[in-house]
Amino acid sequence: MIEVKNLHKKFGKLTVLDGLDLSINEGGIFAVLGPNGSGKTTLIKCILGMVIPQDGEIIYDSESILGKSDYRNKINYMPQIANFPANLTVLELIEMVKNLRPKPANEDDLIALFGLESHLEKKLGNLSGGTKQKVNIVLAFMFDSNLIILDEPTTGLDPIALIHLKKLIQKAKSQGKTILVTTHIMSLVDEIADEIVFLLDGKIYFKGSVSKLKEETGEKHLEHAIANLLKKQYV
Amino acid sequence: MNKSWAIFLFVCLSLPALAKRVEVCATCPSQSIASALKKVEHGDELVIKSGVYKEHDLLVPFGIRVIGEGDPVIDGEMVGTIMTFGADSFSVEGITFKNVGQSYTKDFAAIRVTKSKNFTITNNILENVFFGILVEKSKFGNITNNTISGTRKNESNSGNGVQVWHSSQMEISGNEVFGMRDGLYFEFVDNAEIHDNRSHHNIRYGLHFMFSNDDAYYRNVFSNNGAGVAVMFSKKIIMHHNRFELNWGDASYGLLLKEIYDAEIHDNVFEQNTIGINTEGSTRINYHKNVFLRNGWAVKVAGGCYDNIFTENDFSHNAFDLSFDGHLNGSYFKNNYWSEYTGYDLDKNGIGDVPYRPVKLFSYVVNQTPETIVLLRSLFVDIINFSEKVSPVFTPDDLLDNEPLMKRPTIDVGIPKTI
Amino acid sequence: MFKILKYSFFDLMRSSWSYVYFAFYLVLGFVLLFLNNDVSKAVITLMNIIIVLTPLIGTIFGVMYFYNSKEFTELLLAQPIKRTTIFMGQYFGVSVSLALSLILGLGIPFLAYGLFQSSAIFEFGLLLVVGTFLNFIFVALAFNIALSHENKIKGFGYAILMWLFLAVIYDGAFLISLVIFDDYPLDKFSLIATMFNPIDLSRILILLKLDISALLGYTGAVFKQFFGTSLGFVLSLGVLGLWVILPVWRINMKLRKKDF
């Protein structure tokens, strides 16, 4: 479904992606892991066209996407930090995003699910971080797209909202969609991820299922397995 | 003495018992003015009835009254001078003169007066003329309420509205002159009174004095001329209650003073001229209670000026109040109002406690390098002017008004605003 | 693009700054007219204000809006919209709302005063056209600077410096070079130097339409010969247009390579 070939990205002198190759098949939950600064967000932003790579190619649905914009209609994205225009109300924001995307949306169920009805008329600048994150989730899940990209989706969420989020992810998976998640919460990865993509120094360091990772590293816990991966690197 | 003698003479010569009346019209015995002129003699009345008379080079060597009845028109057909008077005690009134010929060598005029005394030219209309009224070597003339206009476009092929040469004791009032070279021109003319005239849209000057002394002009309006008034090489000219307006143009001005002595300039309005007063080589001039409003430069003083004294004038909203070249030489500014003055008056006596410097740095720079004027009204210029005001470096130290007025003085010019 | 323009526009219309700006011009217009009682004189004073203030406000609003709407921009970037569409929408949103503040803020008092009976209507119209041009030019320049600098403070500093340069320093250098090269014919140089600074160009365009242009003397005559003809007038408006188009073009070029 997504084919990333030989992706290079430098910010100034800092090399973030260094000839990265990645192939992701349709269906399933993919956890993109890696230490801070390993290029997770850069990779995602490259796929979204927000960061422009120096070299390489990204193919989505058998089409090259670099320099294009229409393909984003087939991707739902939830950014890492829920920053919204402070002057807009929640409802206006949702209406605006709907207006900008030429496809149907089912925001009402999601609003009810996260109990946002009472916040709809409030300005985004006045919302708490957690509530903003909920709005962020609504925006990411209200369209029916085959690829959903979630960048640190759990930040600031209360336990109930977290349960709802996990359900939403599972539901999307059951509909045959592809979900790309970056996170530092290993329990979440353990719980939902079908496959792990481990980034290090701008390259794919490991790609495979959770069990495969545990097997290779000989660790029972995912956290330890990841730590083990890193340790090997530094030996 | 001279005057009373003249009046006595006039009364004697125009005794009604001696005078006869000759009429000119299409059905009269005299159908042309030329033929009628053969029948008149000194003291007679020549009445021109309505109609168009295509005549020119009419010579009138006797003191007669020429009267137009029913708006007669004398059409000179662009050939030469229409009427020439060379006698004392004549008058012309109520006639339209038009189409005076043009020449580069001869001064053709609608009415020409030579070596005459005690004459009156009044209520005539002079249209499309080369020169309008030309007076030479004459005395005690009265030129009133005439309308004089021309249609020429260049200085070289146009003449003056009223031109007086080598004459004295003239009174010129209530005339309207436009479309000429100089509206009113005086050369070697003493003791003239010029008042209540309107001279506008003339190619060169509204009023022009050369080598003339002891003259006065007042309550005139000079607007939209190449330049308003030029007074050159003259002494003891009094100028008051005039309006100088809208004399815009490169290096144009409301009033030009050049090589003149002992003039009084008071209660005039200079409004919207490139330069309000441009003075050069002038000595002992008093400028008192004049209004300078919205001119480019209110006053430009070039070199060689002595004892020019400015008191109680109103300098409001001029791009530059003053440009001053050379030394002060006894000139000074006192008790003037400056709209850009920002000082204070703690003792409330109506006079600012801080001196005002009327020369801006930018004005000084423009004087040195005229091209810099393209930066007029730019923010940078405002900034350097301000810094110079705070701590003067370039502008002359002694050029200031030590006692500037806090409020605009009330100055009544007595002529309604025309713009 | 119009969707984005609309959102940017209404976003700005909600912020109190637009109202402050609008109210400023409104008050200025009324004060000038009802204190002076003279439309043509008000036009001169307005010119002094417009050629300094519109660029400054355009610069500040442009930079501020760019940095403040970072979140909005990021949200939009994830949507199926072209980058150039997003930024052109925002650019025109800012420029149009500022231009409206200017035109309405000054237009209302002048209309209330009876502009149509005044002979100054042409000068006033020109003033608004030039002010609008300056608006579009300086918002575009500000966007350029903001695009090139991630750091807000740096970007803001450079933008103000840019304004300072065009509004003040440029004229200073211009003046000094005129004084130094006094012995050479300078009218062509002046003409070209004017063309290269939109603020100077606007100032001269308006000055030449006022009576006071007579002050410009010989250089003024050269300028008049150039700007006075309809060709020169169209050409100078064209140059102002170019001052809009070039920075806008550079925004679009810059966007191709920009990472968010």
Side-chain angles (χ1 to χ4, degrees):
Chain A
M1 184 185 204
I2 308 175
E3 201 76 42
V4 178
K5 288 177 194 162
N6 192 29
L7 206 59
H8 285 266
K9 181 66 197 175
K10 280 184 199 167
F11 292 109
K13 281 181 182 166
L14 179 72
T15 305
V16 179
L17 298 179
D18 188 14
L20 184 139
D21 290 293
L22 175 67
S23 162
I24 287 172
N25 299 323
E26 192 156 359
I29 302 169
F30 294 80
V32 181
L33 306 178
N36 295 330
S38 59
K40 299 184 298 274
T41 301
T42 305
L43 174 62
I44 284 172
K45 285 190 167 178
C46 280
I47 293 172
L48 284 162
M50 290 162 78
V51 168
I52 294 168
Q54 272 95 18
D55 197 11
E57 205 175 352
I58 301 171
I59 290 161
Y60 175 59
D61 271 357
S62 52
E63 259 180 90
S64 174
I65 56 157
L66 289 178
K68 296 197 178 114
S69 59
D70 287 341
Y71 74 94
R72 286 200 282 268
N73 200 22
K74 297 183 286 185
I75 300 177
N76 291 357
Y77 170 59
M78 178 174 164
Q80 190 168 10
I81 304 160
N83 278 329
F84 298 116
N87 272 331
L88 294 179
T89 66
V90 177
L91 194 63
E92 281 170 329
L93 178 72
I94 292 170
E95 287 301 321
M96 181 182 83
V97 174
K98 274 167 72 182
N99 189 10
L100 293 171
R101 280 211 179 199
K103 68 200 281 186
N106 61 333
E107 75 279 12
D108 293 343
D109 300 345
L110 292 164
I111 289 169
L113 184 64
F114 289 99
L116 288 171
E117 294 95 334
S118 57
H119 297 291
L120 286 179
E121 299 297 332
K122 286 186 189 163
K123 290 214 169 153
L124 287 152
N126 300 333
L127 296 183
S128 73
T131 317
K132 272 194 207 166
Q133 193 68 352
K134 286 176 190 170
V135 175
N136 208 359
I137 294 170
V138 171
L139 289 179
F141 281 93
M142 70 187 192
F143 295 107
D144 181 24
S145 301
N146 277 334
L147 178 61
I148 301 171
I149 298 174
L150 309 170
D151 199 355
E152 299 285 355
T154 56
T155 320
L157 281 185
D158 56 52
I160 300 170
L162 190 59
I163 290 168
H164 289 314
L165 175 65
K166 283 179 197 165
K167 275 186 192 159
L168 279 174
I169 294 173
Q170 292 297 355
K171 191 179 152 204
K173 183 193 166 188
S174 69
Q175 288 166 342
K177 294 178 182 173
T178 313
I179 299 116
L180 222 60
V181 185
T182 75
T183 184
H184 287 106
I185 316 288
M186 287 308 139
S187 60
L188 182 72
V189 179
D190 216 353
E191 197 179 333
I192 62 167
D194 297 320
E195 211 162 307
I196 288 173
V197 178
F198 192 87
L199 287 180
L200 199 63
D201 294 339
K203 284 191 178 120
I204 305 288
Y205 194 71
F206 173 86
K207 182 171 177 288
S209 64
V210 178
S211 48
K212 189 184 163 203
L213 176 65
K214 287 179 181 171
E215 218 171 86
E216 276 190 14
T217 52
E219 297 279 351
K220 277 182 192 163
H221 292 284
L222 184 60
E223 272 160 38
H224 292 130
I226 298 287
N228 205 316
L229 265 186
L230 284 173
K231 225 184 277 168
K232 269 192 206 163
Q233 161 74 18
Y234 296 121
V235 167
Chain B
M1 179 61 208
N2 215 350
K3 204 163 188 170
S4 54
W5 166 242
I7 289 166
F8 170 73
L9 206 75
F10 182 80
V11 172
C12 287
L13 292 175
S14 55
L15 282 175
L18 299 172
K20 68 176 180 293
R21 179 182 164 105
V22 176
E23 292 188 346
V24 185
C25 67
T27 54
C28 300
S30 305
Q31 288 176 6
S32 74
I33 302 164
S35 63
L37 278 173
K38 287 174 185 157
K39 297 173 190 166
V40 294
E41 52 191 44
H42 194 89
D44 287 352
E45 217 168 66
L46 175 66
V47 177
I48 303 174
K49 301 244 172 167
S50 75
V52 177
Y53 302 87
K54 301 203 167 177
E55 297 181 62
H56 50 84
D57 293 312
L58 301 163
L59 297 178
V60 187
F62 354 85
I64 57 169
R65 290 184 68 194
V66 181
I67 300 162
E69 273 182 21
D71 302 319
V73 176
I74 307 179
D75 184 345
E77 295 183 287
M78 310 301 293
V79 181
T81 292
I82 295 179
M83 226 171 203
T84 305
F85 291 88
D88 296 346
S89 311
F90 71 86
S91 70
V92 191
E93 63 180 280
I95 301 171
T96 298
F97 294 82
K98 67 182 196 188
N99 302 333
V100 173
Q102 172 189 321
S103 161
Y104 289 99
T105 51
K106 288 188 179 128
D107 294 345
F108 292 138
I111 301 171
R112 185 185 183 119
V113 180
T114 53
K115 296 178 185 162
S116 304
K117 283 180 196 160
N118 302 314
F119 59 90
T120 305
I121 300 172
T122 181
N123 292 324
N124 299 291
I125 297 170
L126 284 64
E127 278 176 0
N128 191 24
V129 294
F130 182 45
F131 280 76
I133 299 170
L134 196 57
V135 180
E136 299 161 334
K137 299 193 170 173
S138 300
K139 281 180 181 174
F140 303 107
N142 212 325
I143 300 173
T144 55
N145 301 333
N146 301 288
T147 304
I148 304 167
S149 62
T151 52
R152 267 64 161 197
K153 300 274 176 270
N154 306 319
E155 253 184 52
S156 57
N157 66 4
S158 57
N160 303 323
V162 176
Q163 173 166 332
V164 184
W165 182 69
H166 264 294
S167 300
S168 63
Q169 271 83 16
M170 306 292 297
E171 182 175 1
I172 287 128
S173 66
N175 301 289
E176 180 171 10
V177 187
F178 56 95
M180 308 300 296
R181 180 169 64 194
D182 290 345
L184 309 167
Y185 179 82
F186 299 85
E187 192 173 340
F188 303 108
V189 177
D190 298 339
N191 299 307
E193 300 251 324
I194 298 143
H195 60 93
D196 298 289
N197 300 289
R198 284 181 48 80
S199 184
H200 58 96
H201 295 96
N202 294 297
I203 298 164
R204 199 167 66 182
Y205 302 121
L207 168 62
H208 191 179
F209 281 101
M210 294 284 269
F211 313 106
S212 298
N213 305 323
D214 301 297
D215 300 309
Y217 66 93
Y218 47 92
R219 291 200 304 270
N220 301 290
V221 178
F222 307 101
S223 65
N224 294 96
N225 298 296
V229 174
V231 182
M232 299 173 170
F233 311 101
S234 299
K235 289 173 190 164
K236 294 183 187 162
I237 307 284
I238 297 167
M239 325 168 199
H240 61 93
H241 294 93
N242 299 290
R243 295 192 74 98
F244 304 79
E245 298 167 341
L246 295 170
N247 297 297
W248 288 118
D250 301 347
S252 181
Y253 29 74
L255 172 59
L256 171 71
L257 305 174
K258 193 168 179 171
E259 300 291 332
I260 72 162
Y261 296 86
D262 302 294
E264 296 290 333
I265 301 170
H266 62 89
D267 297 284
N268 299 289
V269 175
F270 298 85
E271 189 167 350
Q272 295 190 56
N273 305 287
T274 305
I275 302 167
I277 296 182
N278 192 1
T279 175
E280 198 181 324
S282 305
T283 301
R284 291 186 299 277
I285 318 288
N286 289 324
Y287 307 81
H288 182 68
K289 276 187 175 278
N290 297 290
V291 182
F292 298 91
L293 195 60
R294 295 171 63 190
N295 301 287
W297 281 270
V299 177
K300 222 173 178 174
V301 181
C305 289
Y306 292 80
D307 302 311
N308 282 237
I309 292 159
F310 294 82
T311 50
E312 290 176 57
N313 298 290
D314 173 3
F315 292 87
S316 287
H317 313 297
N318 303 294
F320 304 103
D321 288 327
L322 181 64
S323 154
F324 205 101
D325 228 13
H327 298 287
L328 274 173
N329 298 332
S331 298
Y332 65 86
F333 295 82
K334 195 179 166 189
N335 293 139
N336 297 288
Y337 171 80
W338 312 88
S339 63
E340 289 192 24
Y341 181 62
T342 49
Y344 44 83
D345 177 22
L346 288 182
D347 53 5
K348 301 280 175 212
N349 63 351
I351 288 166
D353 301 342
V354 193
Y356 177 74
R357 297 182 172 276
V359 177
K360 289 181 194 166
L361 177 57
F362 186 50
S363 164
Y364 174 82
V365 171
V366 168
N367 238 359
Q368 306 293 313
T369 314
E371 287 87 354
T372 54
I373 189 75
V374 295
L375 289 162
L376 182 73
R377 287 182 189 283
S378 94
L379 183 58
F380 178 76
V381 164
D382 291 344
I383 292 172
I384 60 167
N385 279 341
F386 179 75
S387 67
E388 177 73 9
K389 195 167 108 182
V390 175
S391 56
V393 180
F394 297 100
T395 49
D397 262 349
D398 45 356
L399 220 163
L400 32 80
D401 188 336
N402 275 312
E403 297 171 27
L405 298 180
M406 293 303 290
K407 280 187 183 160
R408 289 179 78 162
T410 41
I411 295 167
D412 183 17
V413 183
I415 321 174
K417 202 175 160 132
T418 54
I419 48 174
Chain C
M1 188 171 90
F2 281 101
K3 282 180 187 168
I4 313 282
L5 191 155
K6 210 177 75 190
Y7 284 117
S8 290
F9 181 76
F10 284 112
D11 189 29
L12 269 170
M13 281 289 133
R14 275 157 203 249
S15 88
S16 46
W17 285 110
S18 313
Y19 290 105
V20 171
Y21 189 50
F22 168 72
F24 167 77
Y25 276 126
L26 198 68
V27 170
L28 182 74
F30 274 112
V31 165
L32 277 183
L33 283 175
F34 290 91
L35 283 188
N36 272 333
N37 268 329
D38 184 342
V39 177
S40 55
K41 201 174 151 231
V43 166
I44 296 181
T45 314
L46 272 181
M47 182 196 85
N48 284 349
I49 294 170
I50 281 185
I51 59 166
V52 173
L53 202 68
T54 4
L56 180 63
I57 297 289
T59 308
I60 293 177
F61 262 68
V63 171
M64 276 198 338
Y65 186 82
F66 188 93
Y67 287 124
N68 278 350
S69 60
K70 203 166 179 277
E71 298 91 30
F72 182 45
T73 310
E74 279 176 5
L75 185 77
L76 292 175
L77 282 167
Q79 308 303 325
I81 311 165
K82 282 200 192 92
R83 283 181 167 200
T84 50
T85 310
I86 296 170
F87 284 91
M88 285 303 102
Q90 294 188 345
Y91 166 66
F92 283 110
V94 178
S95 307
V96 167
S97 72
L98 288 180
L100 266 183
S101 293
L102 170 77
I103 291 169
L104 292 180
L106 289 180
I108 291 170
F110 273 76
L111 283 182
Y113 191 75
L115 175 71
F116 287 117
Q117 275 105 53
S118 161
S119 56
I121 181 158
F122 179 75
E123 282 89 345
F124 181 72
L126 182 67
L127 203 65
L128 289 189
V129 168
V130 163
T132 308
F133 262 117
L134 285 176
N135 233 325
F136 276 83
I137 290 168
F138 279 82
V139 174
L141 291 174
F143 264 53
N144 263 297
I145 289 170
L147 259 175
S148 308
H149 297 276
E150 281 295 318
N151 186 334
K152 251 189 208 190
I153 309 290
K154 242 186 180 176
F156 205 85
Y158 280 122
I160 294 294
L161 206 66
M162 181 266 303
W163 171 81
L164 201 67
F165 176 78
L166 288 175
V168 182
I169 300 168
Y170 187 92
D171 286 351
F174 191 179
L175 183 84
I176 289 166
S177 45
L178 283 177
V179 171
I180 292 176
F181 300 107
D182 194 17
D183 299 336
Y184 302 88
L186 288 169
D187 32 272
K188 280 229 175 68
F189 166 76
S190 304
L191 206 65
I192 291 165
T194 306
M195 285 285 189
F196 275 101
N197 183 343
I199 296 182
D200 277 340
L201 184 57
S202 309
R203 186 174 51 79
I204 292 286
L205 261 182
I206 299 170
L207 266 189
L208 284 178
K209 297 289 165 199
L210 301 174
D211 286 339
I212 203 147
S213 66
L215 249 68
L216 297 182
Y218 173 70
T219 319
V222 173
F223 272 57
K224 224 168 196 165
Q225 232 173 33
F226 180 76
F227 292 110
T229 59
S230 48
L231 176 74
F233 187 67
V234 168
L235 206 69
S236 42
L237 283 186
V239 170
L240 281 180
L242 220 58
W243 265 103
V244 179
I245 291 165
L246 287 180
V248 166
W249 176 77
R250 191 178 170 274
I251 292 175
N252 287 320
M253 285 297 106
K254 197 87 194 160
L255 277 178
R256 284 198 190 170
K257 295 266 164 75
K258 170 86 178 163
D259 299 320
F260 290 92

